[in-house]
Structures are given as C-alpha cells and as structure tokens.
C-alpha cells in the first residue's frame, strides 16, 4: 500500500488569471463533492476557498469600463442634443417676423452664445457649463421669453437629462470606491493558492489516518481527479503559451518585412 496519495503538482504562479480562476473553481468543486468526514477538509475552509474562487472569476472577467460608462455616454449625448436644440431655436427665431419673438430670441442669445460649443468640450467641462446654462435659463426674467419661443419644455427636459447624467456619474463614482475596497487579484490568488496547498496536505493526512480501505479508495479517487484537472489546466496553459508565441513570431516577421526596402532596378 502506498504511504500516501500523490496529486500532480501545478505551477499556479504561471497561470493567467482566467486559468487560475478555472483551476481553483473546479478543484474546489471536486473537493466539496466528497463528504467532509471522508476528506477531513473543514467545511469553513472549503467555503472560504469557494468564495475566493468566485471572487477570482469576478475579478478575471470584470469589464474594464464600469457598467455605467455606456449609460453615461448615451445620456451625455441626449443632454447635448437638447442643449443644441435650444441653441438652434434661439438662433433661428432671431429672424422671426414677429418682433416680440425676435426680441426674445435676441435676449436669450446673449445667454446661450457663451455655451454654443458644448459638444466640442470634454465631458467634465461640458457638465460644468451645462449646470451654468441651466441656472441662467432658469432665471425668472427669462421665463416669458422661453415661453414665447416654445422652449419652456425643452429647458425642463435639459435639466432632467442633466440630472440623470449626474446621478449616473455619482453611481459610477460610488461603484469605483467600493471596488477599491475589494481585494486585488494578486491578494485573492495568493489566498486561494495557500488554501489549496493546505487542502492537499489535509487530504494526504486523511489518507494516512483513514479508518478503512473504502475511505482510502474514496480519497485516492479524489486525488486522481485533482491530478486529471491539473493535467487539463497544464495542457490549456501550454496551448495558450504556444498561441502567444506564434502570434509574437508572426508580428516580429511582419515587422521585419516592413523594414525591407526594395532595391532600385537599373
């Protein structure tokens, strides 16, 4: 009888984040499928490992842009269009044959002409200018002129859209703050690796102290399954490495070809 089980070793440090997360997720599931009384792996330790494995998946698949980025981009475009619409009406109504409308447009133009290049500004500067624009247009003395040009609802819409954008901006800021509080991938990987090494030692000890051959057989089967998982992950790693090397070689060859200059012919 063998002294203890043997589980194929794996160089966890070499794995990229996706493969590392996959290994720990599957390895943890394999261990949790076997009764804790058989493996002697404490339930609390297995649960902690499982939570770390899920954290790895989240961190490995986390999008570079926050979920609010796309919504903010769309909302910014909406509020910019609303402002541009107001500018356009004011500019056009200066030519109105109705003297009252033309005068209202002239007075409103004095305010809006400072902001007509909003679409060319950075988002941060545009946000600041829109706040100022809305504040100016909301002044009581301009209310009758906005109503005369039919722009009261447009200004209300602009204020609503700008408020919705600012809400999204605050939500994104809060999300980033919360994300900074979370452990980094390096920290989570280190903790996962430490737990895995501990689990391996616990399984080896459980095999040595098993009360029966049936229990030893069950632990050996688990060890074989973990070794098979290691082999699959190692194969995936080698394939990924080969692909990266092939791409690097192709890029190097293309760069070398680009340097070649055709010799002039006589």
């Amino acid at each position: 009888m063998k002294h203890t089980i043997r589980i194929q070793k794996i160089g966890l440090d070499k794995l990229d984040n996706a493969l590392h997360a996959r290994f720990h997720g599957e390895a943890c599931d394999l261990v949790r499928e076997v009764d804790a009384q058989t493996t002697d792996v404490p339930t609390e330790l297995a649960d902690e490992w499982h939570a770390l494995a899920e954290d790895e998946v989240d961190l490995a698949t986390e999008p570079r842009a926050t979920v609010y980025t796309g919504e903010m981009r769309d909302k910014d475009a909406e509020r910019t269009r609303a402002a541009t619409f107001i500018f356009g009406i004011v500019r056009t109504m200066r030519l109105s044959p109705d003297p009252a409308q033309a005068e209202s447009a002239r007075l409103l133009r004095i305010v809006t002409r400072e902001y007509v290049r909003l679409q060319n500004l950075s988002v941060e500067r545009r946000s600041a200018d829109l706040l100022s624009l809305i504040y100016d247009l909301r002044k009581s003395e301009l209310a009758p002129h906005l109503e005369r040009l039919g722009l009261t609802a447009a200004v209300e819409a602009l204020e609503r859209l700008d408020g919705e954008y600012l809400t999204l901006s605050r939500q994104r800021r809060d999300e980033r703050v919360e994300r900074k509080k979370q452990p980094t991938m390096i920290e989570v990987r280190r903790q996962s690796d430490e737990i895995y090494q501990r689990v391996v030692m616990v399984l080896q000890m459980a095999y040595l102290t098993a009360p029966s051959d049936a229990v030893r057989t069950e632990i050996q089967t688990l060890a074989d399954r973990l070794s098979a998982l290691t082999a699959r992950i190692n194969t995936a790693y080698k394939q990924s490495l080969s692909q990266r090397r092939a791409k690097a070689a192709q890029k190097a060859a293309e760069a070398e070809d680009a340097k070649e200059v055709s010799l002039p012919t006589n």
Side-chain angles (χ1 to χ4, degrees), residues 1-68:
M1 183 175 64
K2 291 187 294 186
H3 292 295
T4 188
I5 55 172
R6 179 182 179 277
I7 299 175
Q8 183 176 339
K9 293 182 179 181
I10 181 170
L12 291 169
D13 291 342
K14 69 185 180 184
L15 302 180
D16 61 29
N17 289 337
L19 277 179
H20 195 274
R22 175 183 164 189
F23 172 79
H24 279 291
E26 294 188 28
C28 183
D29 288 342
L30 289 175
V31 172
R32 282 158 58 96
E33 287 173 3
V34 182
D35 195 300
Q37 292 184 343
T38 297
T39 63
D40 284 345
V41 175
T43 302
E44 296 79 5
L45 183 64
D47 290 343
E48 181 183 359
W49 189 16
H50 179 69
L52 287 168
E54 290 189 330
D55 287 344
E56 280 202 46
V57 172
D58 291 340
L59 290 169
T61 59
E62 186 177 73
R64 292 185 178 180
T66 174
V67 67
Y68 296 108

Side-chain angles (χ1 to χ4, degrees), residues 112-128:
T112 62
R113 66 186 178 189
E114 302 296 328
Y115 305 98
V116 292
R117 297 190 182 279
L118 278 173
Q119 65 270 25
N120 298 326
L121 302 176
S122 66
V123 174
E124 292 78 11
R125 176 63 187 276
R126 181 157 52 248
S127 294

Side-chain angles (χ1 to χ4, degrees), residues 15-242:
L15 302 180
D16 61 29
N17 289 337
L19 277 179
H20 195 274
R22 175 183 164 189
F23 172 79
H24 279 291
E26 294 188 28
C28 183
D29 288 342
L30 289 175
V31 172
R32 282 158 58 96
E33 287 173 3
V34 182
D35 195 300
Q37 292 184 343
T38 297
T39 63
D40 284 345
V41 175
T43 302
E44 296 79 5
L45 183 64
D47 290 343
E48 181 183 359
W49 189 16
H50 179 69
L52 287 168
E54 290 189 330
D55 287 344
E56 280 202 46
V57 172
D58 291 340
L59 290 169
T61 59
E62 186 177 73
R64 292 185 178 180
T66 174
V67 67
Y68 296 108
T69 302
E71 295 180 29
M72 288 178 63
R73 187 184 303 112
D74 294 341
K75 192 63 64 178
D76 180 52
E78 288 184 59
R79 65 178 184 167
T80 301
R81 283 197 300 271
T84 302
F85 170 79
I86 294 172
F87 299 155
I89 294 298
V90 169
R91 184 174 59 252
T92 300
M93 293 302 290
R94 287 185 302 166
L95 302 176
S96 173
D98 184 327
Q101 288 184 335
E103 177 62 13
S104 291
R106 185 188 69 82
L107 294 174
L108 288 171
R109 175 67 176 176
I110 295 173
V111 175
T112 62
R113 66 186 178 189
E114 302 296 328
Y115 305 98
V116 292
R117 297 190 182 279
L118 278 173
Q119 65 270 25
N120 298 326
L121 302 176
S122 66
V123 174
E124 292 78 11
R125 176 63 187 276
R126 181 157 52 248
S127 294
D129 279 11
L130 280 172
L131 284 174
S132 298
L133 171 64
I134 293 169
Y135 174 80
D136 288 340
L137 292 177
R138 277 303 194 180
K139 291 178 179 178
S140 58
E141 60 267 27
L142 293 183
H145 301 297
L146 291 172
E147 184 176 358
R148 185 171 294 124
L149 299 188
L151 289 175
T152 301
V155 172
E156 291 174 351
L158 173 61
E159 187 173 15
R160 174 181 56 79
L161 291 169
D162 190 59
E164 291 172 354
Y165 177 88
L166 294 177
T167 297
L168 290 171
S169 179
R170 285 191 294 269
Q171 290 173 336
R172 183 178 68 171
R173 179 199 61 205
D174 293 343
E175 182 186 67
R176 286 175 172 173
V177 170
E178 288 300 316
R179 190 180 300 166
K180 288 181 179 179
K181 295 179 182 178
Q182 297 175 351
T184 64
M185 176 62 90
I186 293 176
E187 294 171 340
V188 174
R189 284 182 62 138
R190 178 182 56 78
Q191 294 177 52
S192 297
D193 294 348
E194 289 176 355
I195 289 180
Y196 175 69
Q197 297 303 327
R198 182 177 170 186
V199 167
V200 170
M201 289 188 291
V202 169
L203 291 175
Q204 291 173 334
M205 184 59 67
Y207 183 87
L208 289 173
T209 60
S212 66
D213 288 341
V215 172
R216 275 190 289 273
T217 299
E218 197 168 355
I219 296 174
Q220 179 64 63
T221 299
L222 173 58
D224 292 341
R225 296 178 71 186
L226 288 171
S227 292
L229 170 62
T230 297
R232 293 199 306 273
I233 295 296
N234 274 328
T235 298
Y237 167 75
K238 291 177 182 178
Q239 290 175 343
S240 176
L241 184 62
S242 296

